[in-house]
Structure formats: structure tokens, C-alpha cells
Amino acid sequence: MRLGLMVVPLAFFALFFAWPVASIVERGLRPDGVWRFGRLGETLTRPEILDVLWFTLWQALASTALTLLIALPGAYVFARFEFPGKGLLRAVVTVPFVMPTVMVGTAFLALVGRGGLLDELWGVRLDTTVWAILLAHVFFNYAVVVRTVGGLWSQLDPRQEEAARVLGASRFTAWRTVTLPALAPAVAAAALMVFLFTAASFAVVQILGGPTYSTLETEIYRQTVDRFDLTTAAVLTLVQFVAVGVVLAVHARTVRRRETALKLVAPEQTARRPKGLGQRALFGGVLISIALLLVLPLAVLVERSFDTPDGYGLDYYRALQSVDPSGTFLVPLVDTIGNSLRYALVATALALVIGGLAAAALTRRAGRLVRGFDALLMLPLGVSAVTVGFGFLITLDEPPFDLRGSWILVPLAQALVGVPFVVRTMLPVLRAVDERLREAAAVLGASPLRAWREVDLPLVRRAVLIAAGFAFAVSLGEFGATVFIARPDSPTLPVAVARLLGRPGALNYGQAMALSTILMVVCAVSLLLLERLRAGRTASGEF
């Protein structure tokens, strides 16, 4: 049954991921029909390429450590504390993650760059420094830790830790020996996703780092688009494959040894009002960090969308309703909202089907085949979206897969990024389900399908909802691949924003800010609805 569940995800990844990426590599290393592997060494020994590799590695490690340091207290607060506006605040925390990365860089540029808020108030500038990049990465990935770790934390039975304290363990010892091992798979999964995102950082580094800093992603884009040097782009893509494979192998070996059946309870049973000075101080510190790191950049972004040359007003929003006279956009920019929502809904459906089948196939531990399948599902998070998007254009152009003129191409690209989130969200919960429950269902005569429907599904329903929210969110904000394949008559919000930012003039900049504000509102409303839906259900499995 496990191999049967793998068929659809494997076919999807082979057709829409492996084939496009392999085509780029082939064109770069086999330009005249003969493989030239000697170019690997030539490219990787160039000093500028070595600098790019080193910066990509250490900034990703630093970003991951800083994100965990700042976000883990937030994960605890959302998991264990009950307070007014919790659902709204959870949606606000998630909004930065779904923003296009180009807008994350722009928001921080407006905050810490020349003429930004900090420059105007205190003369402080952080643009073209690594600190701006690291803080922007925390801004972008905070929700990954809160959702992934906090979801499991909220369902761990606190009585297990209380029992350890009754036996004489201190609060820290009980947490270290009972709670931390149970959280380890979720923390490792969150760290893995943050590392892959920051290692493949593109727009944030390009906007905030300037010409001083470059990651593998920005270098692949520059070599592909600016220089059309497919050889260098192909070599760097292979480096990404190897690096991501090593990370996934280490992660799988570490987490696989520590995953056990957990006693999960409903989150409503674990959340309490903060009590005592320590808990209130922690709660206040988390709120302050959210306000400074997450809300302030968004507030600056909104303020710029209303700040017109004639004073504060709605001029930039009204301009979205007119057709661009330059011909860059063939439809009013306001139509991009509907385009993005339609694409994201289709991409979410695809990601849930493919990711759900994959997670079910990976539920029980198995040999190298299943572990390799697990690693394959994570590759889109660490491989250049530029490579994937460009690969779509050069591969899906002949029957029976001539899709370059079809609207479905955009949701397919977005689903590639959504599937890993569905898998990583559902898999820890599926593996935490006590195997004896499935065995009991089988003894009573239930088929494997019915056992999954009666045992697994009720326990992971909440995880499915969170997975759907993540898939929808990342689809709305996907930019790297979509910018290559979105048609001029149906651009998405991130593509429209990037094109506006690339054009001079206050009107274009203001329209970009207005579109970004609309995107934030759409995401916030969608996530708030999801929070209400989650609150109305009783299940175990929240990530």
C-alpha cells in the first residue's frame, strides 16, 4: 500500500520538478551534446563563487539560530497561554511569511534603509549590512517556528512534565528530560525549513545586501537572466542539490531516532491564562518582540501606501483600477487579486492531495527507499525557484505537456512549494499516532483505508487545516518561479509588485505599496478565517 501511495507524488515531482531542473543542468553542462564535467571544478574554484558559497552557508546558519532564539518563546506563549485576541495575533504573526520576499526586503528597506524610519528618527541605517538580512529572515520565518513547534507543544500532555516534578525534578530538568525530547522532531523540522529558506534567500539579500552580499539564489538569477551563463547556473544548481541532500540526510538520521508515539490532547486542555511575574514577563517580552520585528515593518509598508505627494489619501489605490498605459500590464492591477486567489486555491488543492498521499506513505518507518522519497519532497524548498521557473519554460513546451500557454502552469509551480509544508505539517502527527489504535481497528475487521479514515483522520484533521493554510499562504506569496511563467494578462500580486518596484516614479512605488497592503489584508483575513475554523473543531495534530 505504501508504494501505491507514492505513485502520484513521484509522478508529480518527476514531471514538474526533476525534469525542468535536469533540463537546465543539461543545457549548462552539455551545450554541444558532450558532457563537460570539467566545468564543475573551473566554476567552483573561482574566488567570487567561493565567497558566494561561504556567505550562503554562514548567513543561513546564523539566520536559523537567531530565528529559533527569538521565535521559540513565542511558540511557547501561543501553545500554553490563553489570552484575548490570540487568533488574530496568530494570523498577524503568519502574514510576514506569506508576503512576497521582494516585499519583505522592501519593507525593511523602508524601515532601516536610507530615508527609512530609523534613519529619520535616529540616523541609524542597516541596509547593505548583514544585520538587515538576518532580521528580515527572522521576520519572514518567525511563523514557521510558531506554527510547527507551537502546534505540537499545545497538544503535549502537561501532566507528564508535572509527574516528573512530583518525583523531585526541577522545572528545567523536567522540561529538558520530558518536553524537549518530545518537541525535538518539530524543532528539527522547523530549523530545517528555516535553513532551507534562508539558504535560498533571493529578494531579501538582493534588496538589503546590495552588491556586497550574494547567495546561491541571487547568483543563479544573475548568471541566468543577466549573463545567460547557463554553465555557472547549472553548477550552482548542482551545489544546491548536494547541500540540500546533506541537510536532509542529517535531519532524517537525527529525527528518525527520536520520533516516538506521543500522548496528545486537545489544545484547549493545555492553554491557561499567564500567571505570576515570570509568565507575565515572558508574555510581555513576546508581544514586544512581535511588535518590533513583525508589526512595525508592516505598519511602515501600510503608511507608505497612503503617503502621496499631496498628503495622505487613496490616490495609489484608485490608480490600481486603471490599465497601465505603458503596456506592462494588460489588465487593471486590481484584477491581480482575483488571479492570485484562484491560483492559490488550485495550488492548495493540489498540494493537499499530493502532500497528503506522501505523508501517509511516510507514516511508518522504512528503509532507504522511503527515506529517499522523504528527501525528494523537501528539495523544492532548497533548490532555486529561478531554476524551476526557467526550466518550466524550456521543457513544458511540446505535446503532450505543452502548458506554457495554460493557466494551470502557475498553480503547478506554486504547489511544488506547498507540498513540503503539507508533508512536514502532517507527518509528525501521523507518526505520533499510537500504532496500537490502527492494529485494533485491523483486528476488528477494518480495511487499511477505513482504519485510516476512522483512526488517523480524526486525529490529524487539525493538522490538515493548518497544512491547507500554509499551502494557501505560500502560494499567494510565491514569486521566484511565478515571475517566469505568469502571463501578462493574468499576473499575480507578487509579480505585479516586483514589476512596479522595478520602474521609477512615485506612482509606481505607491501602487506597489498599495498592492502589498491588499495582499497583507487578504492573507490576514484568510488566516483569521482558518483560525476560527480550527477553533471550532476538536482534534489532535496542530502544526
Side-chain angles (χ1 to χ4, degrees):
M1 181 179 176
R2 185 193 307 276
L3 293 178
L5 293 172
M6 291 183 185
V7 171
V8 174
L10 281 174
F12 178 80
F13 272 80
L15 183 59
F16 299 113
F17 178 72
W19 185 22
V21 173
S23 297
I24 294 294
V25 173
E26 182 182 12
R27 292 203 177 196
L29 297 180
R30 193 186 177 192
D32 50 5
V34 179
W35 288 100
R36 302 185 181 276
F37 293 107
R39 294 184 178 180
L40 289 169
E42 296 174 4
T43 301
L44 294 178
T45 54
R46 287 157 48 186
E48 66 273 18
I49 298 300
L50 291 175
D51 290 341
V52 169
L53 296 176
W54 170 242
F55 178 73
T56 300
L57 175 62
W58 84 259
Q59 69 83 23
L61 291 173
S63 296
T64 302
L66 188 61
T67 301
L68 290 175
L69 179 65
I70 295 176
L72 281 176
Y76 176 80
V77 165
F78 279 102
R80 294 303 198 193
F81 291 169
E82 186 61 46
F83 52 90
K86 182 177 179 179
L88 177 61
L89 187 61
R90 193 194 302 269
V92 170
V93 165
T94 310
V95 167
F97 178 73
V98 305
M99 290 179 63
T101 52
V102 66
M103 287 316 306
V104 174
T106 304
F108 268 81
L109 193 64
L111 181 64
V112 303
R114 175 179 296 179
L117 182 63
L118 296 186
D119 190 19
E120 293 175 353
L121 294 179
W122 299 295
V124 175
R125 287 184 54 191
L126 296 177
D127 57 321
T128 69
T129 70
V130 73
W131 280 108
I133 296 172
L134 297 181
L135 291 176
H137 285 161
V138 174
F139 171 88
F140 184 76
N141 292 292
Y142 189 96
V144 175
V145 178
V146 169
R147 292 278 183 168
T148 306
V149 180
L152 179 60
W153 211 336
S154 68
Q155 295 185 266
L156 292 181
D157 192 342
R159 290 174 296 183
Q160 299 180 57
E161 187 173 322
E162 292 169 359
R165 296 198 63 193
V166 169
L167 294 175
S170 64
R171 182 182 297 273
F172 176 75
T173 300
W175 179 84
R176 179 177 57 83
T177 57
V178 177
T179 303
L180 183 58
L183 287 176
V187 174
L192 170 65
M193 287 189 284
V194 173
F195 179 86
L196 292 178
F197 277 130
T198 53
S201 185
F202 174 47
V204 167
V205 176
Q206 190 174 46
I207 294 174
L208 297 177
T212 307
Y213 301 103
S214 181
T215 60
L216 275 173
E217 187 82 358
T218 59
E219 192 65 20
I220 289 174
Y221 180 84
R222 185 166 68 91
Q223 297 293 340
T224 302
V225 177
D226 295 343
R227 298 186 177 184
F228 205 71
D229 184 356
L230 293 185
T231 298
T232 301
V235 172
L236 295 182
T237 299
L238 288 177
V239 170
Q240 278 190 319
F241 262 107
V242 173
V244 173
V246 170
V247 171
L248 293 177
V250 173
H251 170 265
R253 178 177 293 272
T254 302
V255 174
R256 190 169 59 251
R257 292 177 177 177
R258 307 190 72 170
E259 284 180 333
T260 57
L262 303 176
K263 185 177 181 181
L264 302 179
V265 298
E268 295 79 7
Q269 300 179 22
T270 64
R272 298 290 186 271
R273 293 280 183 140
K275 299 179 181 179
L277 181 61
Q279 290 189 356
R280 290 192 177 95
L282 174 63
F283 180 63
V286 168
L287 291 182
I288 291 174
S289 66
I290 291 175
L292 294 179
L293 282 175
L294 305 184
V295 178
L296 184 58
L298 298 179
V300 173
L301 198 64
V302 174
E303 186 269 339
R304 296 297 171 94
S305 74
F306 293 101
D307 188 9
T308 69
D310 299 325
Y312 288 99
L314 299 174
D315 294 353
Y316 294 141
Y317 290 88
R318 295 192 185 98
L320 298 177
Q321 303 176 29
S322 60
V323 179
D324 180 23
S326 68
T328 303
F329 302 102
L330 302 181
V331 294
L333 288 170
V334 71
D335 291 352
T336 60
I337 302 172
N339 295 336
S340 292
L341 291 176
R342 285 191 294 270
Y343 289 147
L345 287 173
V346 176
T348 300
L350 290 171
L352 283 177
V353 172
I354 297 167
L357 291 173
L362 294 169
T363 299
R364 298 173 181 83
R365 301 175 183 86
R368 295 180 179 178
L369 176 62
V370 173
R371 293 198 294 270
F373 176 62
D374 191 10
L376 171 66
L377 298 173
M378 295 298 294
L379 284 177
L381 295 183
V383 174
S384 170
V386 173
T387 302
V388 175
F390 191 58
F392 269 36
L393 293 181
I394 66 175
T395 55
L396 303 177
D397 61 343
E398 295 180 358
F401 302 111
D402 187 3
L403 301 177
R404 288 201 301 183
S406 174
W407 65 271
I408 195 64
L409 200 59
V410 173
L412 287 172
Q414 294 173 345
L416 275 173
V417 183
V419 168
F421 284 97
V422 174
V423 174
R424 294 268 75 84
T425 300
M426 295 180 60
L427 187 56
V429 179
L430 285 171
R431 284 181 172 170
V433 175
D434 194 333
E435 182 65 26
R436 291 173 295 182
L437 295 176
R438 300 188 184 101
E439 294 172 352
V443 169
L444 294 175
S447 65
L449 178 61
R450 184 176 180 183
W452 181 86
R453 187 176 67 248
E454 300 293 340
V455 176
D456 293 67
L457 184 58
L459 294 175
V460 303
R461 187 180 292 117
R462 189 179 295 269
V464 172
L465 293 174
I466 300 303
F470 260 132
F472 182 78
V474 298
S475 298
L476 276 179
E478 205 287 323
F479 171 72
T482 306
V483 70
F484 281 90
I485 56 181
R487 298 185 303 182
D489 61 342
S490 56
T492 63
L493 276 168
V495 171
V497 168
R499 291 176 181 172
L500 286 169
L501 287 175
R503 298 163 58 183
L507 178 61
N508 292 319
Y509 181 79
Q511 285 181 301
M513 298 300 105
L515 274 180
S516 299
T517 301
I518 291 173
L519 176 59
M520 290 184 342
V521 172
V522 170
C523 293
V525 171
S526 302
L527 293 168
L528 187 58
L529 291 175
L530 179 64
E531 291 297 326
R532 291 185 178 275
L533 181 62
R534 290 168 54 249
R537 293 178 178 267
T538 302
S540 65
E542 175 185 5
F543 282 79

